[in-house]
Amino acid sequence: ERKSREKKKKKRFSEEEQRQHTIEWTTYYRRNLHVFVEEYLGIKLKFFQRCMLYLMGRYRVIVFIMSRGAGKTFVTGCYAISTALLYPNSEIAIASLTLTQASLIIKDKIDKELCGDLALSPILKYLKEQGYLEFKYDKDRAECKLKNGSKIFSIVCDESGRGARATCVIIDEARLVKKKSVDSIMIPMLRPRVFPARLNPQYSDYFEEPQQIYISSAKTKDNWLYRFMIK
């Protein structure tokens, strides 16, 4: 009976084993964001949404042109909060033609649907209640700060957006934004993510390439976004 009880006892991992498990799980979830959203955050996804999240986690430039009501802002919200959780010190800027439009993903999708009233993710709701996620709204500007140093913030895609810095720029309804504004304001604000390993001279040459994500409803082929997507 004693041997049987000992076998049933939970195995206690050493500090090094816990560290190694954390590295392995973090790497796995970073490479498979759709699995992280479904298994860890507890958010149910459609098949095409899994494909979108997987691609967003793999590539540095992403363009999604979809019909209205397809849920592209919802998927974008899931991506933004997942990236902020899995990559400490991330700076995710959500830009649009107007500040109100840019703030919708943070207000309606992340705060309300994922963490707040609807609480599609019990994990995110718990993190918000414990103060790990903090939302701040000021004159239609929205911001979500995490305790790991990451932040998600809204910004307007015009001259007033100059000076901001981000590791990832998400441009909502990109077809309405001028290509000149994207090239001269949005892309120059991108910079690599700062993480502790880069402070070590041995790894100082390693960096993560910043990311650009364009999401929009469909328009005619003469719009710059269509030509950009084809290119």
Side-chain angles (χ1 to χ4, degrees):
E1 287 178 0
R2 181 177 58 81
K3 287 182 179 180
S4 178
R5 287 197 301 270
E6 287 178 354
K7 285 182 180 180
K8 291 180 181 179
K9 282 183 180 179
K10 273 190 176 181
K11 181 182 178 182
R12 293 187 177 181
F13 298 110
S14 66
E15 186 176 343
E16 181 58 32
E17 287 176 324
Q18 289 179 354
R19 180 176 177 275
Q20 188 59 37
H21 289 170
T22 301
I23 291 173
E24 291 175 359
W25 276 107
T26 302
T27 303
Y28 174 69
Y29 281 142
R30 283 179 174 180
R31 293 177 180 175
N32 301 275
L33 283 181
H34 60 294
V35 179
F36 178 75
V37 170
E38 286 196 302
E39 288 188 358
Y40 190 83
L41 298 183
I43 302 171
K44 293 182 179 180
L45 299 172
K46 303 287 186 182
F47 176 73
F48 79 93
Q49 293 173 329
R50 297 190 194 110
C51 296
M52 290 176 67
L53 284 169
Y54 177 76
L55 293 172
M56 293 166 91
R58 283 290 299 258
Y59 297 98
R60 298 295 91 189
V61 180
I62 292 286
V63 182
F64 286 123
I65 299 179
M66 305 169 66
S67 62
R68 293 181 181 277
K72 51 187 177 292
T73 53
F74 172 76
V75 177
T76 305
C78 291
Y79 171 77
I81 194 64
S82 299
T83 302
L85 288 169
L86 290 171
Y87 294 86
N89 299 323
S90 292
E91 299 167 307
I92 303 171
I94 301 177
S96 190
L97 184 64
T98 64
L99 200 55
T100 304
Q101 175 70 29
S103 301
L104 285 178
I105 293 179
I106 300 175
K107 280 184 178 180
D108 291 352
K109 302 303 176 182
I110 300 177
D111 191 2
K112 185 178 178 180
E113 291 188 18
L114 299 181
C115 308
D117 299 336
L118 298 179
L120 297 180
S121 171
I123 299 296
L124 291 178
K125 182 180 180 182
Y126 173 79
L127 292 176
K128 180 182 177 182
E129 291 173 348
Q130 297 300 313
Y132 191 85
L133 302 176
E134 294 181 357
F135 293 89
K136 182 180 178 182
Y137 304 105
D138 182 25
K139 294 182 180 179
D140 293 328
R141 174 185 168 88
E143 186 177 43
C144 174
K145 284 188 176 182
L146 289 78
K147 293 295 184 183
N148 65 356
S150 296
K151 67 177 180 178
I152 308 168
F153 61 96
S154 60
I155 189 172
V156 65
C157 190
D158 64 10
E159 293 295 327
S160 63
R162 291 187 184 275
R165 292 292 179 267
T167 57
C168 172
V169 168
I170 301 172
I171 302 181
D172 190 19
E173 288 300 341
R175 65 185 179 86
L176 301 175
V177 177
K178 294 181 180 179
K179 181 68 163 61
K180 182 180 178 181
S181 299
V182 174
D183 292 339
S184 62
I185 301 172
M186 294 292 104
I187 295 180
M189 76 165 56
L190 290 170
R191 65 178 177 183
R193 182 174 69 94
V194 179
F195 48 92
R198 287 197 67 195
L199 302 177
N200 188 332
Q202 183 180 354
Y203 304 107
S204 59
D205 293 335
Y206 292 86
F207 68 93
E208 295 175 1
E209 187 177 348
Q211 191 175 27
Q212 308 167 45
I213 298 177
Y214 304 83
I215 58 175
S216 177
S217 51
K219 204 179 180 183
T220 52
K221 287 185 178 181
D222 60 350
N223 187 271
W224 71 268
L225 186 62
Y226 178 80
R227 297 192 297 272
F228 177 77
M229 180 186 69
I230 297 300
K231 181 180 178 180

